[in-house]
């Protein structure tokens, strides 16, 4: 069947979000209930005023809960960093205020992609999202994106695919993903662009 997620990576990110949110909801309800009972209850259990058993429980229990969040998080972190054998490689170069793309598997296939100004946009265009040259990538294939920048820090991001890579001048970052349904996917700037400070001059 057709899923609402555009990539397996985004599906896993959604599952992790739901899993963590459920744990946080349970913690919030429990703590809220205890705080409510403390405010409206006039009685005191004298065995709970001091006791090693209860102190061990409220130390160990949060540690176990944190492990239930940490292990899926680490699994997902390594899953996102894993590079499978790519079918196609795209090099993405960040500039102020546009991106350059190079299809590394083909000869002389490179172009610039500029955002379309609002006054030049069609009626059915997407304001501050649409570009003049879109990249075309195959579905159900492993895709590798090599990301770098020429001037300042940028970030190549497509939220619906669960992809976000920093573009740093002088450094080549890579990410691997798979698109499992056809569609038009938009990316947005998600980096505070600025000159990189030379740490040796501090």
């Amino acid at each position: 069947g057709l899923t609402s997620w555009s990539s397996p990576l985004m599906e896993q990110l959604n599952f992790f979000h739901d899993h963590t949110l459920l744990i946080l909801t349970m913690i919030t309800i429990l703590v809220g209930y205890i705080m409510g009972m403390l405010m409206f209850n006039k009685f005191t259990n004298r065995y709970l005023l001091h006791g090693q058993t209860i102190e061990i429980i409220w130390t160990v229990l949060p540690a176990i809960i944190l492990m239930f969040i940490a292990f899926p998080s680490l699994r997902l972190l390594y899953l996102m960093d894993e590079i499978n054998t790519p079918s196609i490689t795209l090099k993405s170069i960040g500039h102020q205020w546009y991106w350059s793309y190079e299809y590394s598997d083909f000869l002389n296939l490179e172009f610039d992609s500029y955002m379309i100004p609002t006054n030049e946009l069609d009626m059915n265009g997407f304001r501050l999202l649409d570009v003049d040259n879109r990249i075309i990538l195959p579905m159900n294939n492993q895709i590798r994106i090599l990301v770098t920048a020429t001037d300042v820090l940028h970030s190549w991001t497509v939220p619906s695919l669960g992809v976000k890579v920093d573009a740093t001048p002088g450094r080549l970052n890579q990410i691997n993903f798979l698109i499992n349904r056809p569609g038009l996917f938009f990316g947005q700037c998600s980096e505070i662009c600025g000159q990189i400070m030379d740490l040796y001059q501090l």
Side-chain angles (χ1 to χ4, degrees):
L2 193 66
T3 62
S4 58
W5 296 289
S6 306
S7 72
L9 209 58
M10 194 61 202
E11 186 177 12
Q12 290 297 315
L13 284 166
N14 268 286
F15 288 157
F16 176 66
H17 170 268
D18 295 345
H19 166 78
T20 311
L21 196 65
L22 188 66
I23 292 171
L24 291 176
T25 306
M26 289 191 297
I27 292 168
T28 307
I29 291 167
L30 179 68
V31 172
Y33 172 75
I34 292 168
M35 284 176 71
M37 289 299 290
L38 283 169
M39 281 191 283
F40 298 111
N41 190 7
K42 292 184 172 61
F43 300 106
T44 304
N45 187 335
R46 64 193 176 98
Y47 296 111
L48 282 180
L49 290 174
H50 178 75
Q52 274 192 320
T53 310
I54 192 70
E55 286 178 13
I56 289 167
I57 289 168
W58 70 43
T59 304
V60 172
L61 197 65
I64 292 168
I65 291 168
L66 284 173
M67 282 165 63
F68 272 97
I69 297 172
F71 287 132
S73 174
L74 286 169
R75 174 189 160 272
L76 195 56
L77 204 63
Y78 281 102
L79 193 70
M80 289 173 74
D81 216 31
E82 192 176 331
I83 299 294
N84 300 309
T85 309
S87 302
I88 189 167
T89 301
L90 178 72
K91 188 176 180 185
S92 178
I93 306 157
H95 307 270
Q96 289 179 309
W97 296 86
Y98 66 99
W99 290 89
S100 295
Y101 294 103
E102 298 173 10
Y103 285 85
S104 307
D105 304 293
F106 306 98
L107 292 172
N108 300 323
L109 187 49
E110 52 187 74
F111 57 88
D112 295 334
S113 183
Y114 289 88
M115 189 170 64
I116 301 172
T118 308
N119 59 342
E120 295 176 19
L121 203 61
D122 294 331
M123 285 296 290
N124 59 349
F126 294 90
R127 183 177 168 271
L128 300 179
L129 289 173
D130 243 329
V131 291
D132 56 356
N133 290 315
R134 294 172 177 162
I135 56 169
I136 298 167
L137 294 169
M139 194 178 81
N140 294 328
N141 281 282
Q142 290 293 336
I143 299 156
R144 176 173 59 184
I145 307 280
L146 303 173
V147 184
T148 188
T150 55
D151 38 32
V152 296
L153 292 171
H154 298 282
S155 187
W156 197 88
T157 312
V158 184
S160 56
L161 297 175
V163 177
K164 180 176 163 67
V165 201
D166 284 339
T168 313
R171 184 186 171 115
L172 196 65
N173 290 330
Q174 69 174 348
I175 197 160
N176 200 72
F177 63 91
L178 180 140
I179 304 168
N180 60 8
R181 69 183 179 96
L184 183 61
F185 307 113
F186 290 107
Q188 284 180 302
C189 181
S190 56
E191 188 80 57
I192 299 170
C193 304
Q195 292 291 341
I196 299 166
M197 198 178 292
D198 192 352
L199 295 175
Y200 298 109
Q201 291 177 356
L202 294 177

